[in-house]
């Protein structure tokens, strides 16, 4: 019985985590981020997997990248600039938290 409860708890946790990831991907799609970025390949901008790998372990990355999402930037991934995005600071932080979690 304990094993069944444990397995059920893991399944629920997995669905909750999956739902959160999908919700953040949905926000990226809604804000047109996916026009220039993809999960696993370079489009106009870097893939989210490449961004996550570059900033892995960097404690200040989330705040720095959230500011770049909001105001735009250029030079880190090449000469094509990323324009400013019409997102709230909270949305920018949510997007970056999700991007940094992509594996």
């Amino acid at each position: 019985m304990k094993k069944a409860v444990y397995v059920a708890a893991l399944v629920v946790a997995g669905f909750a985590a999956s739902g959160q990831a999908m919700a953040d991907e949905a926000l990226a799609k809604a804000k047109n981020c996916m026009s220039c970025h993809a999960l696993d390949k370079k489009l106009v901008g870097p893939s989210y997997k490449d961004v996550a790998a570059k900033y892995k372990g960097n404690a200040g990355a989330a705040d720095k990248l959230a500011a770049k999402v909001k105001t735009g930037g250029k030079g880190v991934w090449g000469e094509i600039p990323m324009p400013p995005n019409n997102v709230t600071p909270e949305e920018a932080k949510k997007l970056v938290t999700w991007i940094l979690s992509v594996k």
Side-chain angles (χ1 to χ4, degrees), residues 84-98:
N85 292 278
N86 187 20
V87 295
T88 66
E90 294 79 20
E91 289 171 331
K93 185 75 169 191
K94 185 175 182 179
L95 287 165
V96 168
T97 300
W98 170 68

Side-chain angles (χ1 to χ4, degrees), residues 7-99:
V7 169
L10 286 176
V11 169
V12 169
F15 282 131
S18 175
Q20 181 63 35
M22 294 305 287
D24 296 332
E25 184 174 351
L27 180 60
K29 288 178 180 175
K31 295 298 181 176
N32 295 319
C33 303
M34 304 300 268
S35 297
C36 296
H37 300 277
L39 288 173
D40 58 357
K41 64 183 176 188
K42 181 184 182 335
L43 295 178
V44 175
S47 74
Y48 291 141
K49 285 184 179 183
D50 288 344
V51 174
K54 180 178 184 100
Y55 292 98
K56 184 177 182 178
N58 183 334
D63 290 333
K64 177 181 174 181
L65 293 175
K68 277 194 163 192
V69 166
K70 184 92 177 111
T71 62
K74 109 174 193 178
V76 175
W77 296 94
E79 291 304 310
I80 299 174
M82 180 175 75
N85 292 278
N86 187 20
V87 295
T88 66
E90 294 79 20
E91 289 171 331
K93 185 75 169 191
K94 185 175 182 179
L95 287 165
V96 168
T97 300
W98 170 68
I99 292 165

